[in-house]
């Protein structure tokens, strides 16, 4: 699977090319697998844009997670139920399948150690051990701590982007945005987490429903999930203020001409 993509143009001086090659060598030493792609355009000619596809073996990701002291869900301890109080909103149509029968279970976590791998959830399924967001974050951390010259201070993909060695660096989305090969009138249930979020959350028709923050966290990571949690709370608390503001505006329009100063202003001849 492709965990990250680096993009650069063919154009560049000798120093830029040497820096890029040094960085690629450092990434290989860090354990990443690199696949360089130069797509062809119509007519058989090649584009000026080159893509470097980065593949991270599971052992490399585990080593980095251990270095960062990540906490991972434990396998032998059953999930616990979060205490949730009753609310008057429970009877309103504000829930989505992602908040009900597709809700994410919550597990106890422990600091990750490779020598205790059997204690963690999905330890026997390497492709599911880390979420896509976790894989992207781990690979990005590797990109940020790899040298691109002999100087110890010359590290990080961000500096290479600023200097123009690479044009862009980004992780990929998980599969297509919509289910593929769906027959007319057939079942178009989402097959991936990306499709679930698009169908039940990232659309105008779901603006009044609860946000599936656990699913957002799994797909985009904690930082993005916190952003949408704050945005949702901020928007909800603006509703009473907007109602009061609307009432004040309506009252002002109704009583506008009964106010002496305003009446005189509009009836000057």
């Amino acid at each position: 699977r492709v965990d990250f993509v680096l993009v650069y143009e063919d154009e560049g001086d000798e120093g830029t090319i040497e820096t890029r090659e040094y960085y690629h060598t450092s990434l290989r030493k860090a354990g990443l697998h690199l696949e360089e792609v130069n797509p062809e355009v119509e007519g058989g000619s090649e584009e000026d844009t080159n893509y470097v596809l980065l593949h991270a073996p599971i052992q490399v990701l585990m080593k980095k997670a251990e270095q960062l002291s990540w906490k991972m869900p434990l396998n032998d301890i059953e999930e616990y139920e979060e205490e949730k109080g009753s609310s008057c909103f429970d009877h309103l149509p504000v829930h989505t399948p992602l908040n009900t029968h597709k809700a994410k279970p919550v597990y106890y976590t422990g600091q990750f150690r490779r020598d205790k791998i059997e204690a963690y959830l999905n330890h026997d399924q390497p492709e599911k051990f880390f979420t896509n967001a976790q894989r992207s974050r781990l690979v990005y951390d590797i990109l940020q701590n790899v040298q691109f010259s002999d100087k110890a201070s010359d590290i990080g993909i961000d500096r290479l982007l600023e200097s123009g060695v690479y044009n862009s660096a980004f992780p990929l989305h998980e599969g297509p945005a919509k289910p593929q090969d769906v027959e007319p009138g057939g079942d178009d249930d989402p097959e991936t987490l990306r499709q679930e979020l698009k169908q039940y959350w990232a659309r105008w028709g779901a603006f009044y429903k609860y946000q599936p923050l656990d699913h957002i966290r799994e797909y985009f990571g904690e930082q993005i999930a916190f952003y949408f949690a704050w945005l949702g709370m901020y928007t909800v608390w603006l509703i009473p203020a907007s109602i009061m503001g609307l009432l004040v505006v309506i009252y002002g329009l109704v009583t506008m001409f009964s106010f002496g100063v305003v009446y005189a202003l509009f009836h000057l001849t």
Side-chain angles (χ1 to χ4, degrees), residues 6-38:
L6 306 180
V7 184
Y8 67 92
E9 302 287 344
D10 275 340
E11 299 177 358
D13 55 24
E14 184 177 351
T16 300
I17 296 175
E18 290 179 355
T19 299
R20 190 183 300 124
E21 291 178 351
Y22 192 103
Y23 190 65
H24 289 180
T25 301
S26 300
L27 291 177
R28 292 188 179 95
K29 290 181 179 178
L32 299 182
H33 297 168
L34 278 64
E35 177 185 355
E36 297 196 35
V37 178
N38 180 219

Side-chain angles (χ1 to χ4, degrees), residues 25-193:
T25 301
S26 300
L27 291 177
R28 292 188 179 95
K29 290 181 179 178
L32 299 182
H33 297 168
L34 278 64
E35 177 185 355
E36 297 196 35
V37 178
N38 180 219
E40 294 185 354
V41 297
E42 295 181 6
S45 60
E46 294 183 346
E47 290 184 353
D48 292 334
T49 305
N50 294 269
Y51 302 89
V52 182
L53 310 182
L54 304 182
H55 312 270
I58 186 63
Q59 294 301 329
V60 174
L61 297 177
M62 288 183 175
K63 179 180 178 181
K64 177 57 67 173
E66 186 176 26
Q67 292 174 349
L68 297 175
S69 300
W70 271 21
K71 291 186 176 181
M72 301 299 294
L74 298 174
N75 185 40
D76 295 333
I77 302 179
E78 296 181 358
E79 62 187 79
Y80 65 90
E81 295 290 337
E82 292 184 306
E83 295 184 1
K84 297 181 180 180
S86 59
S87 171
C88 59
F89 296 104
D90 291 341
H91 303 289
L92 299 177
V94 294
H95 295 281
T96 70
L98 300 184
N99 301 120
T100 54
H101 65 276
K102 289 187 177 183
K104 293 292 181 181
V106 182
Y107 294 92
Y108 290 100
T109 60
Q111 184 172 329
F112 179 68
R113 292 177 53 184
R114 285 179 290 170
D115 58 345
K116 302 291 185 181
I117 187 63
E118 295 82 6
Y120 301 96
L121 187 68
N122 294 327
H123 67 88
D124 55 345
Q125 303 181 66
E127 70 281 357
K128 295 182 179 180
F129 191 79
F130 295 107
T131 65
N132 286 347
Q134 289 174 331
R135 293 180 68 98
S136 298
R137 181 180 173 187
L138 290 170
V139 174
Y140 178 75
D141 190 86
I142 294 175
L143 295 176
Q144 282 291 81
N145 291 278
V146 166
Q147 293 181 224
F148 52 82
S149 76
D150 294 330
K151 295 182 180 179
S153 59
D154 288 343
I155 61 174
I157 185 63
D158 286 349
R159 292 186 59 188
L160 294 176
L161 291 171
E162 292 175 359
S163 60
V165 176
Y166 294 99
N167 298 90
S168 184
F170 52 86
L172 295 178
H173 275 292
E174 178 186 342
K178 296 181 180 180
Q180 301 296 302
D181 301 327
V182 178
E183 297 180 359
D187 189 7
D188 59 347
D189 288 339
E191 302 171 351
T192 63
L193 181 56

